[in-house]
């Protein structure tokens, strides 16, 4: 088809600013979906996304729109997530587009992820259309938000589209702006095939379904294709597009977005960011692809039932097709047996992956305390990366330990400045700079250790600012730190599931908290349980759980006291033996609660 009639764009914004609702309205307005089949968050395929009200995965859809010039245009739309943990999904979507709608909440204004996504789009040289959404709200501050967008993002007021996705206001203006401002794709059908793989999913009947943005050439069914980076050839079985359900077509031309299947059964065969070309007339130049993203948070993930280990491995391989920022490798634990060491972009990402594995693949999982990656320089000059407490060498072998630092961009109301700065300093943060965004909002920048941020920093900012604060961050570098390994011992036996790496000055506080919390969570056993928090051989906190009492003298009625003493002595010996050989039963809630300490 004529490339001048194609527009490829995505919707980017901070979390909960109305991206998915705007995508729904665009589909309804253009007739891509009728009222009978419509539901909210239409492009969010997972139950998890609709339950939580957040977008986790980017979703592509092709819609037709007749503009005011009476020409019918093809719009390829990609809806993206807004949470910082899913920024890789946003980066992938931006690489497949020529333009972006930057949505800003009329009540909240510019927030941290708004800025982060704006700069990501600028780096890709995309044409950006600012949209002020939710103008129908009673607390909408349209003039203030307009001023913010003009001052901070350097737009003019005439560039901004005012809309309410919920009420359907301004939807036509958004579509007309897309047609007039966003450039059509470049590329030619006659050139050698050059397609970018931006996503993939596993279908039980068709195998791996590969989502592509075609930059040059044409891809058809029955053609022979080659993956440039993987250097493998395949025969295309089916090509199609998203309308929004998958629809089979004869071919996908240059500038278009779609999918193909090639009877692939192994999830490892697909590399996100790879270039697809024809075998007969191959391209000599691979597309830039995506920057390899490194996980920031690691934890152990184990099946509750040891028989599910193989099922868990297969499930994780299929999940990496759909989420290439998730990584895993096998490991074993004294407490849980065989499992996997998994890497995530943040705690929400970790939580979502766990829920998806449990729901979609019917698995019951245990997870260990999350850690960041530390760089350890040993006395013999060797430098290793430590993402697991078990990998930390003994103190006498360590020369220096470095931990990852981030630059945190925090946007808050001005009246919350003092308490937010105090919180950041408690977390070992260093103040860098501040910048006012209008009269009542301020952006402050802190350098912080990543380990202090991943657990509850964002939640505390939301609490301090009554929900008006936002956070975005980027990895800076590694800096020297004082690190120790905190172990939990149950009756003298190490429980490696609770082991964690922690800043030395905070170890004693964390050890006491862990021991106290475990005393509450572990049920009483037939024998006494001693809980100890230790650094090496030094015990820094201890708690005791009394054994369950049984009245062994109940059957004694009268007689000499020595009869009772004899029974008590026998019971004492039995409990001593149980303590020596018995296993302490730890409920699953204990592991989940300890993660939040």
């Amino acid at each position: 088809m004529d490339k001048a009639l194609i527009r490829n764009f995505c919707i980017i914004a901070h979390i909960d600013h109305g991206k998915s609702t705007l995508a729904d309205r665009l589909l309804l307005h253009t007739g891509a979906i009728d009222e009978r089949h419509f539901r909210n968050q239409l492009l969010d395929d997972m139950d998890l996304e609709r339950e939580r009200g957040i977008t986790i995965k980017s979703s592509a859809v092709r819609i037709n729109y007749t503009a005011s010039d009476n020409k019918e245009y093809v719009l390829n739309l990609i809806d993206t997530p807004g949470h910082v943990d899913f920024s890789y999904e946003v980066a992938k979507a931006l690489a497949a587009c020529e333009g972006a709608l930057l949505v800003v909440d009329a009540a909240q204004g510019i927030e941290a992820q708004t800025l982060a996504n704006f700069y990501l789009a600028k780096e890709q040289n995309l044409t950006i259309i600012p949209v002020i959404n939710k103008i129908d709200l009673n607390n909408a501050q349209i003039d203030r938000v307009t001023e913010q967008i003009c001052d901070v993002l350097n737009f003019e007021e005439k560039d901004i589209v005012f809309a309410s996705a919920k009420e359907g206001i301004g939807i036509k203006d958004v579509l007309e702006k897309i047609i007039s401002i966003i450039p059509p794709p470049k590329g030619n059908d006659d050139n050698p095939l050059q397609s970018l793989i931006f996503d993939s999913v596993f279908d039980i009947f068709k195998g791996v379904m590969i989502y592509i943005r075609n930059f040059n050439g044409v891809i058809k069914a029955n053609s022979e294709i080659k993956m440039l980076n993987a250097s493998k050839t395949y025969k295309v079985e089916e090509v199609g597009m998203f309308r929004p359900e998958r629809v089979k077509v004869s071919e996908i031309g240059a500038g278009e977005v779609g999918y193909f299947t090639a009877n692939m059964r192994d999830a490892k065969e697909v590399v996100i960011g790879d270039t697809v070309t024809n075998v007969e007339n191959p391209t000599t130049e691979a597309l830039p692809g995506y920057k390899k993203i490194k996980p920031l948070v690691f934890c152990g993930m184990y099946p509750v039932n040891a028989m599910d280990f193989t099922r868990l491995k297969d499930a994780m391989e299929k999940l990496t097709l759909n989420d290439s920022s998730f990584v895993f490798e096998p490991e074993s634990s004294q407490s849980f047996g065989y499992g996997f060491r998994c890497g995530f972009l943040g705690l929400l990402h970790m939580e979502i992956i766990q829920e998806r594995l449990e729901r979609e693949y019917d698995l019951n999982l245990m997870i260990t305390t999350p850690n960041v990656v530390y760089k350890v320089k040993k006395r013999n000059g060797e430098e290793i990366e430590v993402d697991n407490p078990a990998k930390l060498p003994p103190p006498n072998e360590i020369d220096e330990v470095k931990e990852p630092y981030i630059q945190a961009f925090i946007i808050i109301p001005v009246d919350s400045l003092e308490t937010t700065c105090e919180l950041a300093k408690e977390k070992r943060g260093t103040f860098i700079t501040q910048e006012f965004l209008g009269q009542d909002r301020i952006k402050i920048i802190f350098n912080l250790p990543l380990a202090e941020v991943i657990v509850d920093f964002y939640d505390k900012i939301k609490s301090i600012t009554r929900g008006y604060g936002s956070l975005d961050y980027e990895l800076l570098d590694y800096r020297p730190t004082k690190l120790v390994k905190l172990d939990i011992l149950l009756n003298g036996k190490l429980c490696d599931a609770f082991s964690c790496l922690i800043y030395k000055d905070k170890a004693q506080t964390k050890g006491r908290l862990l021991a106290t919390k475990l005393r509450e969570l572990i049920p009483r056993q037939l024998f006494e349980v001693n809980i100890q928090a230790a650094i090496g051989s030094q015990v820094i906190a201890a708690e005791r759980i009394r054994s369950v009492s049984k009245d062994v003298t109940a059957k004694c009625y009268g007689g000499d006291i020595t009869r009772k003493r004899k029974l008590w002595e026998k019971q004492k010996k039995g409990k001593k033996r149980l303590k020596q050989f018995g296993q302490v039963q730890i409920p699953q809630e204990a592991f989940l609660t300890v993660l939040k300490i």
Side-chain angles (χ1 to χ4, degrees), residues 1-7 62-65 71-76 185 187-189 217-218 241 243 251-257:
M1 69 173 293
D2 185 0
K3 303 295 169 287
L5 299 177
I6 299 175
R7 299 290 184 273
R62 175 188 171 107
I63 51 182
N64 294 338
Y65 173 64
K71 292 180 183 177
E72 187 173 334
Y73 290 85
V74 169
L75 310 178
N76 290 308
N188 197 310
D189 289 353
V218 176
M241 292 177 179
R243 296 179 181 268
E251 63 180 40
I252 299 172
E256 296 184 300
V257 176

Side-chain angles (χ1 to χ4, degrees), residues 13-17 102-105 107-118 148 152-153 409-413 437 441 443 458 462 465 467-472:
H14 188 82
I15 191 168
D16 202 31
H17 277 208
L102 180 67
V103 181
V104 182
D105 190 311
Q108 304 276 5
I110 289 175
E111 299 203 55
Q113 206 58 24
T114 314
L115 288 172
N117 289 334
F118 171 75
Q148 275 187 4
V152 180
L153 305 181
F409 305 93
I410 307 164
I411 297 179
I412 52 170
L437 307 175
R441 306 274 282 178
K443 177 174 82 170
Y458 186 43
K462 281 285 184 188
T465 60
Y468 288 100
S470 60
L471 169 73
D472 185 52

Side-chain angles (χ1 to χ4, degrees), residues 533-549:
I535 299 170
S537 59
Q538 182 190 1
V539 175
I540 58 171
E543 292 288 349
R544 184 171 69 92
I545 302 173
R546 287 176 54 221
S547 59
V548 176
S549 298

Side-chain angles (χ1 to χ4, degrees), residues 333-527:
S333 157
Q334 293 174 10
S335 305
F336 298 140
Y338 292 102
F340 295 92
R341 195 76 190 161
C342 305
F344 310 92
L345 299 183
L347 278 196
L348 178 64
H349 188 210
M350 181 184 87
E351 202 178 316
I352 293 297
I353 291 290
Q354 185 195 358
E355 282 205 44
R356 288 188 67 186
L357 286 168
E358 290 181 339
R359 286 185 183 206
E360 296 172 26
Y361 301 97
D362 195 26
L363 292 161
N364 196 5
L365 303 174
M366 286 279 200
I367 55 174
T368 62
T369 309
N371 283 299
V372 299
V373 184
Y374 295 93
K375 288 186 176 176
V376 178
K377 187 179 179 183
K378 297 169 82 173
R379 293 193 189 278
N380 61 6
E382 183 189 357
E383 189 168 291
I384 59 170
E385 288 193 347
V386 174
D387 56 24
N388 184 345
K391 291 182 182 176
L392 187 71
N396 61 333
E397 292 182 18
I398 297 172
D399 182 37
E400 185 184 44
V401 180
K402 290 183 178 179
E403 66 176 331
Y405 264 70
I406 59 156
Q407 189 158 80
F409 305 93
I410 307 164
I411 297 179
I412 52 170
V414 174
D415 59 5
S416 304
L417 178 61
E418 189 177 339
T419 46
T420 306
C421 287
E422 281 175 13
L423 172 66
K425 284 170 184 172
E426 273 177 37
K427 300 285 186 181
R428 298 190 281 138
T430 307
F431 177 77
I432 303 301
T433 186
Q434 66 181 44
E435 178 188 343
F436 281 91
L437 307 175
Q439 294 179 349
D440 57 347
R441 306 274 282 178
I442 187 168
K443 177 174 82 170
I444 52 175
I445 300 176
F446 272 86
N447 287 351
L448 289 144
L450 178 61
E452 299 282 358
V453 173
I454 58 168
V455 179
D456 61 353
F457 187 64
Y458 186 43
D459 291 341
K460 285 185 175 176
I461 284 176
K462 281 285 184 188
S463 177
I464 287 168
T465 60
R466 301 176 301 284
Y468 288 100
S470 60
L471 169 73
D472 185 52
Y473 59 81
E474 60 184 35
L475 198 61
L476 273 181
D477 52 20
Y478 280 77
R479 300 181 186 181
T481 187
K482 296 183 287 182
L483 188 74
V484 292
K485 180 186 172 190
L486 180 64
D487 289 321
I488 295 294
L489 306 171
L490 299 176
N491 284 345
K493 291 180 184 175
L494 173 68
C495 184
D496 60 349
F498 295 124
S499 295
C500 62
L501 300 171
I502 189 166
Y503 184 62
K504 189 177 180 180
D505 294 354
K506 295 194 173 186
Q508 195 150 20
T509 307
K510 173 101 181 235
R512 283 177 183 157
L513 277 170
L514 276 171
T516 307
K517 185 57 76 174
L518 286 173
R519 188 191 66 190
E520 296 169 10
L521 295 168
I522 296 173
R524 289 170 70 184
Q525 318 279 317
L526 289 170
F527 51 90

Side-chain angles (χ1 to χ4, degrees), residues 228-247:
L228 280 188
N229 292 337
S231 298
K232 290 187 177 180
T233 59
Y234 303 92
K235 184 181 179 182
V236 177
E237 300 282 329
E238 177 187 316
V239 294
M241 292 177 179
F242 311 99
R243 296 179 181 268
E245 70 283 350
R246 290 190 284 262
V247 177

